[in-house]
Amino acid sequence: MRSERLDRPLTHDGRVRLEAITWDRLGDLLAERLLQLKTADGGPWPRVALDGAPAARPGDLAERVAEALRIRGRPSLVVGADGFLRPASVRLEYGHRDVESYYGGWYDTGALWREVFGPLEPGGTGRVLPDLWDPVTDRATRSPYVDIPPGGVLLLHGPLLLRHWFPFDLSVHVLLSPGALRRRTPESEHWTLPAFERYERETDPAGTADVLVRADDPRHPAWRG
């Protein structure tokens, strides 16, 4: 895909150069890329990760991409990983601020494999459960299944996604510097910050994602894609 240049300054993020862009233009460019994306397993449903800490708001970008796809006549389904949290009795077994549990045990990855990725394998039904558990009520959401037609795109957003070996055909990481992550994370959630430091060390999402978006200043993102 041709790189989109807006005659604006380039910024640096360690090993890569990032181009300034607007959120709307970024959504359009990602949608255009997805129109041409071939799945790794030959199936009819491209699967895309919008990865980032809650403070980076990857769900907002997922919604922008979904709208850009809709305008282009391509169906999609936005799924939030927070809809697949484990029940409080499981994820809070070791306390409300246990970093190890947050990093490795809060999200029901088995349910994501079963209810989201499994139906989108070659020969699958395309019937996806958009969410399973409501963390506010701590009860099952009982949402109906959604049929994604062939060619429809799964847009899964949430934190720590790239450490689970999910079969993504395209991965987007929304990056915040440590300082920006701390500033934009509510103080009540600062206890989660070591989990994201560990994620950076062990997974290197900025280096391994297909598309990198830096959003330290939410008004002026930059990207490499």
Side-chain angles (χ1 to χ4, degrees):
M1 181 184 68
R2 182 180 63 86
S3 178
E4 177 69 10
R5 297 191 176 276
L6 301 179
D7 296 324
R8 295 178 63 181
L10 295 173
T11 61
H12 289 266
D13 182 67
R15 295 161 292 178
V16 298
R17 304 179 79 196
L18 303 178
E19 294 185 47
I21 196 170
T22 67
W23 287 112
D24 285 342
R25 189 60 181 146
L26 178 58
D28 287 339
L29 288 174
L30 290 175
E32 291 289 345
R33 182 165 178 175
L34 292 176
L35 293 178
Q36 305 172 36
L37 182 66
K38 303 297 183 183
T39 61
D41 59 12
W45 298 284
R47 297 146 299 189
V48 180
L50 287 304
D51 175 65
R57 304 182 68 85
D60 289 357
L61 180 56
E63 295 290 350
R64 287 179 183 274
V65 174
E67 176 60 16
L69 286 170
R70 186 193 65 79
I71 292 171
R72 289 162 174 81
R74 179 66 63 88
S76 65
L77 178 66
V78 176
V79 174
D82 281 352
F84 288 84
L85 285 171
R86 297 182 186 275
S89 61
V90 177
R91 70 179 188 273
L92 304 179
E93 179 180 2
Y94 298 102
H96 287 256
R97 298 190 173 192
D98 186 83
V99 177
E100 186 69 25
S101 294
Y102 179 74
Y103 188 73
W106 270 40
Y107 293 89
D108 193 341
T109 56
L112 280 166
W113 277 103
R114 182 180 67 251
E115 303 289 359
V116 178
F117 291 104
L120 302 182
E121 294 176 350
T125 64
R127 285 174 57 84
V128 170
L129 189 66
D131 51 58
L132 178 65
W133 200 259
D134 186 335
V136 176
T137 63
D138 199 36
R139 294 180 179 178
T141 57
R142 303 188 184 279
S143 296
Y145 283 85
V146 176
D147 291 311
I148 305 180
V153 181
L154 170 70
L155 301 167
L156 177 65
H157 65 86
L160 312 174
L161 292 180
L162 303 186
R163 61 179 297 267
H164 298 297
W165 298 100
F166 290 137
F168 294 119
D169 299 297
L170 184 77
S171 57
V172 180
H173 177 62
V174 186
L175 174 69
L176 295 179
S177 68
L181 178 60
R182 176 170 289 274
R183 288 193 304 273
R184 292 173 58 184
T185 298
E187 187 172 351
S188 62
E189 298 175 14
H190 277 187
W191 65 272
T192 65
L193 297 180
F196 293 105
E197 294 172 3
R198 180 178 172 184
Y199 184 50
E200 294 289 336
R201 291 194 309 270
E202 296 185 353
T203 306
D204 186 23
T208 58
D210 300 304
V211 176
L212 178 64
V213 179
R214 185 149 194 169
D216 286 4
D217 182 344
R219 300 165 299 176
H220 303 294
W223 84 309
R224 176 217 67 201

mmCIF file of all heavy atoms in Angstrom, residues 78-105:
data_model
loop_
_atom_site.group_PDB
_atom_site.id
_atom_site.type_symbol
_atom_site.label_atom_id
_atom_site.label_comp_id
_atom_site.label_asym_id
_atom_site.label_seq_id
_atom_site.Cartn_x
_atom_site.Cartn_y
_atom_site.Cartn_z
ATOM 1 N N VAL A 78 -17.026 -5.138 15.381
ATOM 2 C CA VAL A 78 -16.106 -4.673 16.417
ATOM 3 C C VAL A 78 -16.380 -5.468 17.686
ATOM 4 O O VAL A 78 -17.511 -5.507 18.175
ATOM 5 C CB VAL A 78 -16.278 -3.165 16.671
ATOM 6 C CG1 VAL A 78 -15.382 -2.715 17.823
ATOM 7 C CG2 VAL A 78 -15.971 -2.365 15.405
ATOM 8 N N VAL A 79 -15.351 -6.095 18.212
ATOM 9 C CA VAL A 79 -15.450 -6.875 19.444
ATOM 10 C C VAL A 79 -14.406 -6.351 20.426
ATOM 11 O O VAL A 79 -13.243 -6.185 20.068
ATOM 12 C CB VAL A 79 -15.216 -8.377 19.185
ATOM 13 C CG1 VAL A 79 -15.187 -9.164 20.500
ATOM 14 C CG2 VAL A 79 -16.288 -8.933 18.257
ATOM 15 N N GLY A 80 -14.836 -6.068 21.661
ATOM 16 C CA GLY A 80 -13.931 -5.613 22.699
ATOM 17 C C GLY A 80 -13.514 -6.767 23.600
ATOM 18 O O GLY A 80 -14.359 -7.547 24.052
ATOM 19 N N ALA A 81 -12.227 -6.873 23.864
ATOM 20 C CA ALA A 81 -11.744 -7.930 24.752
ATOM 21 C C ALA A 81 -12.347 -7.802 26.144
ATOM 22 O O ALA A 81 -12.497 -8.801 26.861
ATOM 23 C CB ALA A 81 -10.219 -7.897 24.826
ATOM 24 N N ASP A 82 -12.730 -6.587 26.541
ATOM 25 C CA ASP A 82 -13.340 -6.399 27.864
ATOM 26 C C ASP A 82 -14.679 -7.112 27.981
ATOM 27 O O ASP A 82 -15.171 -7.309 29.093
ATOM 28 C CB ASP A 82 -13.513 -4.906 28.163
ATOM 29 C CG ASP A 82 -12.204 -4.262 28.608
ATOM 30 O OD1 ASP A 82 -11.222 -5.004 28.821
ATOM 31 O OD2 ASP A 82 -12.159 -3.026 28.743
ATOM 32 N N GLY A 83 -15.267 -7.481 26.876
ATOM 33 C CA GLY A 83 -16.479 -8.283 26.922
ATOM 34 C C GLY A 83 -16.213 -9.745 27.208
ATOM 35 O O GLY A 83 -17.158 -10.542 27.309
ATOM 36 N N PHE A 84 -14.939 -10.099 27.338
ATOM 37 C CA PHE A 84 -14.552 -11.472 27.622
ATOM 38 C C PHE A 84 -13.678 -11.541 28.867
ATOM 39 O O PHE A 84 -12.788 -12.382 28.961
ATOM 40 C CB PHE A 84 -13.847 -12.084 26.410
ATOM 41 C CG PHE A 84 -14.785 -12.363 25.275
ATOM 42 C CD1 PHE A 84 -15.122 -11.364 24.376
ATOM 43 C CD2 PHE A 84 -15.359 -13.613 25.117
ATOM 44 C CE1 PHE A 84 -16.007 -11.612 23.331
ATOM 45 C CE2 PHE A 84 -16.241 -13.875 24.082
ATOM 46 C CZ PHE A 84 -16.572 -12.865 23.193
ATOM 47 N N LEU A 85 -13.951 -10.655 29.812
ATOM 48 C CA LEU A 85 -13.298 -10.751 31.115
ATOM 49 C C LEU A 85 -13.817 -11.980 31.853
ATOM 50 O O LEU A 85 -14.972 -12.389 31.689
ATOM 51 C CB LEU A 85 -13.569 -9.505 31.945
ATOM 52 C CG LEU A 85 -12.797 -8.242 31.564
ATOM 53 C CD1 LEU A 85 -13.345 -7.044 32.332
ATOM 54 C CD2 LEU A 85 -11.307 -8.407 31.841
ATOM 55 N N ARG A 86 -12.979 -12.549 32.685
ATOM 56 C CA ARG A 86 -13.422 -13.658 33.533
ATOM 57 C C ARG A 86 -14.295 -13.111 34.664
ATOM 58 O O ARG A 86 -14.221 -11.921 35.005
ATOM 59 C CB ARG A 86 -12.213 -14.390 34.120
ATOM 60 C CG ARG A 86 -11.327 -15.052 33.082
ATOM 61 C CD ARG A 86 -10.193 -15.791 33.752
ATOM 62 N NE ARG A 86 -9.266 -16.316 32.772
ATOM 63 C CZ ARG A 86 -9.407 -17.469 32.138
ATOM 64 N NH1 ARG A 86 -10.467 -18.221 32.382
ATOM 65 N NH2 ARG A 86 -8.507 -17.885 31.266
ATOM 66 N N PRO A 87 -15.133 -13.946 35.273
ATOM 67 C CA PRO A 87 -15.914 -13.492 36.431
ATOM 68 C C PRO A 87 -15.004 -12.956 37.535
ATOM 69 O O PRO A 87 -13.847 -13.365 37.667
ATOM 70 C CB PRO A 87 -16.637 -14.767 36.878
ATOM 71 C CG PRO A 87 -16.700 -15.616 35.660
ATOM 72 C CD PRO A 87 -15.437 -15.339 34.897
ATOM 73 N N ALA A 88 -15.536 -12.036 38.318
ATOM 74 C CA ALA A 88 -14.748 -11.408 39.379
ATOM 75 C C ALA A 88 -14.179 -12.436 40.345
ATOM 76 O O ALA A 88 -13.059 -12.273 40.860
ATOM 77 C CB ALA A 88 -15.607 -10.395 40.125
ATOM 78 N N SER A 89 -14.925 -13.498 40.612
ATOM 79 C CA SER A 89 -14.437 -14.511 41.552
ATOM 80 C C SER A 89 -13.164 -15.170 41.063
ATOM 81 O O SER A 89 -12.362 -15.672 41.870
ATOM 82 C CB SER A 89 -15.508 -15.576 41.778
ATOM 83 O OG SER A 89 -15.830 -16.223 40.554
ATOM 84 N N VAL A 90 -12.934 -15.155 39.740
ATOM 85 C CA VAL A 90 -11.730 -15.754 39.152
ATOM 86 C C VAL A 90 -10.631 -14.712 39.001
ATOM 87 O O VAL A 90 -9.507 -14.910 39.461
ATOM 88 C CB VAL A 90 -12.055 -16.399 37.794
ATOM 89 C CG1 VAL A 90 -10.785 -16.951 37.152
ATOM 90 C CG2 VAL A 90 -13.085 -17.500 37.969
ATOM 91 N N ARG A 91 -10.955 -13.583 38.355
ATOM 92 C CA ARG A 91 -9.893 -12.630 38.055
ATOM 93 C C ARG A 91 -9.404 -11.875 39.297
ATOM 94 O O ARG A 91 -8.285 -11.371 39.305
ATOM 95 C CB ARG A 91 -10.322 -11.661 36.957
ATOM 96 C CG ARG A 91 -11.386 -10.663 37.320
ATOM 97 C CD ARG A 91 -11.692 -9.735 36.139
ATOM 98 N NE ARG A 91 -12.575 -8.659 36.507
ATOM 99 C CZ ARG A 91 -13.891 -8.731 36.498
ATOM 100 N NH1 ARG A 91 -14.493 -9.847 36.113
ATOM 101 N NH2 ARG A 91 -14.616 -7.689 36.871
ATOM 102 N N LEU A 92 -10.232 -11.813 40.339
ATOM 103 C CA LEU A 92 -9.840 -11.095 41.552
ATOM 104 C C LEU A 92 -9.514 -12.044 42.701
ATOM 105 O O LEU A 92 -9.490 -11.641 43.857
ATOM 106 C CB LEU A 92 -10.956 -10.137 41.980
ATOM 107 C CG LEU A 92 -11.415 -9.122 40.924
ATOM 108 C CD1 LEU A 92 -12.526 -8.254 41.471
ATOM 109 C CD2 LEU A 92 -10.250 -8.272 40.432
ATOM 110 N N GLU A 93 -9.223 -13.291 42.350
ATOM 111 C CA GLU A 93 -8.953 -14.295 43.388
ATOM 112 C C GLU A 93 -7.799 -13.875 44.290
ATOM 113 O O GLU A 93 -7.808 -14.143 45.502
ATOM 114 C CB GLU A 93 -8.636 -15.633 42.723
ATOM 115 C CG GLU A 93 -8.320 -16.747 43.707
ATOM 116 C CD GLU A 93 -8.021 -18.056 43.023
ATOM 117 O OE1 GLU A 93 -8.017 -18.094 41.766
ATOM 118 O OE2 GLU A 93 -7.772 -19.042 43.737
ATOM 119 N N TYR A 94 -6.807 -13.194 43.727
ATOM 120 C CA TYR A 94 -5.629 -12.794 44.495
ATOM 121 C C TYR A 94 -5.652 -11.303 44.837
ATOM 122 O O TYR A 94 -4.617 -10.714 45.127
ATOM 123 C CB TYR A 94 -4.366 -13.140 43.722
ATOM 124 C CG TYR A 94 -4.235 -14.625 43.474
ATOM 125 C CD1 TYR A 94 -4.545 -15.171 42.229
ATOM 126 C CD2 TYR A 94 -3.837 -15.486 44.492
ATOM 127 C CE1 TYR A 94 -4.453 -16.532 42.001
ATOM 128 C CE2 TYR A 94 -3.743 -16.856 44.273
ATOM 129 C CZ TYR A 94 -4.059 -17.361 43.027
ATOM 130 O OH TYR A 94 -3.964 -18.720 42.808
ATOM 131 N N GLY A 95 -6.825 -10.709 44.789
ATOM 132 C CA GLY A 95 -6.958 -9.305 45.152
ATOM 133 C C GLY A 95 -7.300 -8.438 43.956
ATOM 134 O O GLY A 95 -7.188 -8.847 42.799
ATOM 135 N N HIS A 96 -7.731 -7.233 44.247
ATOM 136 C CA HIS A 96 -8.176 -6.318 43.195
ATOM 137 C C HIS A 96 -7.023 -5.680 42.437
ATOM 138 O O HIS A 96 -7.244 -5.080 41.382
ATOM 139 C CB HIS A 96 -9.051 -5.210 43.809
ATOM 140 C CG HIS A 96 -10.411 -5.690 44.218
ATOM 141 N ND1 HIS A 96 -11.548 -5.422 43.486
ATOM 142 C CD2 HIS A 96 -10.819 -6.440 45.270
ATOM 143 C CE1 HIS A 96 -12.599 -5.979 44.075
ATOM 144 N NE2 HIS A 96 -12.179 -6.594 45.164
ATOM 145 N N ARG A 97 -5.799 -5.783 42.950
ATOM 146 C CA ARG A 97 -4.669 -5.112 42.305
ATOM 147 C C ARG A 97 -3.484 -6.055 42.130
ATOM 148 O O ARG A 97 -2.337 -5.646 42.278
ATOM 149 C CB ARG A 97 -4.267 -3.878 43.113
ATOM 150 C CG ARG A 97 -5.376 -2.838 43.203
ATOM 151 C CD ARG A 97 -4.890 -1.539 43.779
ATOM 152 N NE ARG A 97 -5.902 -0.505 43.713
ATOM 153 C CZ ARG A 97 -5.676 0.798 43.936
ATOM 154 N NH1 ARG A 97 -4.456 1.198 44.267
ATOM 155 N NH2 ARG A 97 -6.654 1.673 43.838
ATOM 156 N N ASP A 98 -3.774 -7.281 41.781
ATOM 157 C CA ASP A 98 -2.707 -8.245 41.562
ATOM 158 C C ASP A 98 -2.256 -8.155 40.107
ATOM 159 O O ASP A 98 -3.001 -8.504 39.190
ATOM 160 C CB ASP A 98 -3.189 -9.659 41.883
ATOM 161 C CG ASP A 98 -2.066 -10.667 41.800
ATOM 162 O OD1 ASP A 98 -1.324 -10.802 42.784
ATOM 163 O OD2 ASP A 98 -1.923 -11.299 40.728
ATOM 164 N N VAL A 99 -1.033 -7.679 39.893
ATOM 165 C CA VAL A 99 -0.535 -7.431 38.540
ATOM 166 C C VAL A 99 -0.404 -8.730 37.757
ATOM 167 O O VAL A 99 -0.726 -8.793 36.569
ATOM 168 C CB VAL A 99 0.812 -6.685 38.592
ATOM 169 C CG1 VAL A 99 1.373 -6.495 37.192
ATOM 170 C CG2 VAL A 99 0.638 -5.334 39.268
ATOM 171 N N GLU A 100 0.054 -9.784 38.404
ATOM 172 C CA GLU A 100 0.227 -11.064 37.717
ATOM 173 C C GLU A 100 -1.112 -11.582 37.195
ATOM 174 O O GLU A 100 -1.197 -12.090 36.068
ATOM 175 C CB GLU A 100 0.852 -12.078 38.662
ATOM 176 C CG GLU A 100 1.210 -13.400 38.014
ATOM 177 C CD GLU A 100 2.353 -13.287 37.031
ATOM 178 O OE1 GLU A 100 3.183 -12.359 37.164
ATOM 179 O OE2 GLU A 100 2.407 -14.125 36.103
ATOM 180 N N SER A 101 -2.153 -11.454 38.007
ATOM 181 C CA SER A 101 -3.481 -11.892 37.563
ATOM 182 C C SER A 101 -3.970 -11.058 36.387
ATOM 183 O O SER A 101 -4.530 -11.587 35.423
ATOM 184 C CB SER A 101 -4.485 -11.805 38.713
ATOM 185 O OG SER A 101 -4.165 -12.716 39.738
ATOM 186 N N TYR A 102 -3.766 -9.745 36.456
ATOM 187 C CA TYR A 102 -4.188 -8.868 35.365
ATOM 188 C C TYR A 102 -3.470 -9.244 34.073
ATOM 189 O O TYR A 102 -4.085 -9.312 33.003
ATOM 190 C CB TYR A 102 -3.891 -7.414 35.720
ATOM 191 C CG TYR A 102 -4.273 -6.432 34.636
ATOM 192 C CD1 TYR A 102 -5.603 -6.117 34.400
ATOM 193 C CD2 TYR A 102 -3.296 -5.837 33.841
ATOM 194 C CE1 TYR A 102 -5.960 -5.229 33.390
ATOM 195 C CE2 TYR A 102 -3.641 -4.946 32.834
ATOM 196 C CZ TYR A 102 -4.980 -4.644 32.607
ATOM 197 O OH TYR A 102 -5.320 -3.776 31.601
ATOM 198 N N TYR A 103 -2.187 -9.520 34.184
ATOM 199 C CA TYR A 103 -1.394 -9.808 32.997
ATOM 200 C C TYR A 103 -1.770 -11.144 32.368
ATOM 201 O O TYR A 103 -1.839 -11.270 31.147
ATOM 202 C CB TYR A 103 0.088 -9.817 33.373
ATOM 203 C CG TYR A 103 1.024 -9.921 32.191
ATOM 204 C CD1 TYR A 103 1.219 -8.842 31.333
ATOM 205 C CD2 TYR A 103 1.730 -11.093 31.932
ATOM 206 C CE1 TYR A 103 2.077 -8.933 30.252
ATOM 207 C CE2 TYR A 103 2.596 -11.190 30.855
ATOM 208 C CZ TYR A 103 2.762 -10.108 30.022
ATOM 209 O OH TYR A 103 3.618 -10.198 28.939
ATOM 210 N N GLY A 104 -2.028 -12.139 33.193
ATOM 211 C CA GLY A 104 -2.202 -13.469 32.644
ATOM 212 C C GLY A 104 -3.544 -14.128 32.849
ATOM 213 O O GLY A 104 -3.784 -15.200 32.286
ATOM 214 N N GLY A 105 -4.437 -13.512 33.650
ATOM 215 C CA GLY A 105 -5.642 -14.238 33.995
ATOM 216 C C GLY A 105 -6.958 -13.492 33.942
ATOM 217 O O GLY A 105 -8.005 -14.081 34.223
#
